[in-house]
Amino acid sequence: MTAPAAVITNPEEIAALVRESCHRGRTVGFVPTMGALHEGHASLAEAAAAECDDVAASIFVNPTQFGPHEDFARYPRALDADRRLLAARGVRWIFAPDVAAIYPPGHATRIVVDGPALPFEGALRPGHFSGVATVVQRLFAFVPAQRAYFGQKDWQQTLVVRRMVADLALPVTIVVRPTIREPDGLALSSRNAYLSAAERRRATGLSAALAAAARDWAAGAPVADIEGTMRRIIDDHGIAVDYAAVVERESLAPLADPAAPAVALVAGRLGTTRLIDNQLLDGRAGAA
Ligand code: AMP
């Protein structure tokens, strides 16, 4: 039997537990999440448990990272199942604050990151990355772990968090772990639960587009052709394309050197569900 993970709602209480562990010379790992957990989140907890002495995870559906017409109200919530999953993967403490604990009345400070937060998700979801940066900084203050674990699934988010950690000199190491996928390629996401059976079948268009991008990139295809192919595949699956781009991996700027390490980024909508995915592309020789 796995010991049940303690659920802590009070920021001062989790901060004291983590600090005490650090003072005893233990390494603490932290996995921030919005709950409705799946094997992607579980892989982050497992990596943290393998590399750290104690693991804390947070479950907080952060209102400030949702736009006014987005899915905050219907975002799935499943604390009991989440608690079991995290305990089984070696998580000791689950920080599950309510909104007032993170944003007390009168709170008036937000963090705004430029650079990697500006294009793609930043352009399509105004205020989203400011909400992410603001909550992640507060979570890091309440859970002062040495290492924090994020998924490559949200590649742009990892760049924004890394930028903020560097710019604010926060004492935490950011670890990025690979995307966990369904057998047919669909990246696991809490939002996959919104998909109808028909939409779920068509949702493979995103990962299929990325697989084609990886193949064509390695074969030396021009970036514009790769982007066109991705767009066509996504469109053929009945997904409304928000973007399908190959850009510089760290800055997300257009590729000045078509052989440099890159990332393919895709986003699209199936009905009312919006999904994103990405694929890292290694530097290649002799591309046009
Ligand atoms: P979320 O609960 O969606 O905010 O995600 C919490 C963390 O889990 C983020 O760092 C995500 O990038 C990560 N994550 C989400 N989906 C996956 C996945 N399929 N594979 C790996 N990590 C993931």
Side-chain angles (χ1 to χ4, degrees), residues 31-35 37-41 43-44 65 75 149-154 157 177-181 187-190:
V31 182
T33 82
M34 297 206 301
L37 302 179
H38 49 63
E39 284 300 312
H41 302 106
S43 73
L44 301 182
Q65 72 188 70
Y75 197 84
Y149 292 78
F150 290 83
Q152 187 202 310
K153 158 76 169 42
D154 299 280
Q157 173 174 275
R177 302 284 309 168
T179 302
I180 305 299
R181 298 177 180 281
L188 297 191
S189 165
S190 306

Side-chain angles (χ1 to χ4, degrees), residues 53-180:
D53 299 311
D54 292 314
V55 181
S58 62
I59 296 177
F60 180 63
V61 185
N62 173 36
T64 66
Q65 72 188 70
F66 289 79
H69 305 295
E70 293 183 1
D71 55 342
F72 174 69
R74 73 163 175 155
Y75 197 84
R77 286 151 171 97
L79 184 60
D80 286 344
D82 291 350
R83 187 178 180 181
R84 285 192 293 276
L85 177 144
L86 291 172
R89 308 307 169 100
V91 171
R92 182 168 184 192
W93 305 300
I94 300 171
F95 179 43
D98 62 19
V99 172
I102 299 294
Y103 300 112
H107 79 94
T109 304
R110 281 181 74 106
I111 294 174
V112 176
V113 180
D114 287 342
L118 294 177
F120 301 107
E121 293 302 292
L124 286 161
R125 302 181 68 190
H128 169 67
F129 283 127
S130 174
V132 169
T134 301
V135 79
V136 169
Q137 185 277 332
R138 285 185 76 64
L139 291 171
F140 284 175
F142 298 138
V143 186
Q146 293 99 327
R147 297 166 71 78
Y149 292 78
F150 290 83
Q152 187 202 310
K153 158 76 169 42
D154 299 280
W155 178 250
Q156 190 174 6
Q157 173 174 275
T158 69
L159 298 176
V160 172
V161 170
R162 282 179 157 156
R163 189 70 260 164
M164 175 185 74
V165 163
D167 292 351
L168 300 182
L170 301 180
V172 59
T173 299
I174 302 302
V175 182
V176 177
R177 302 284 309 168
T179 302
I180 305 299

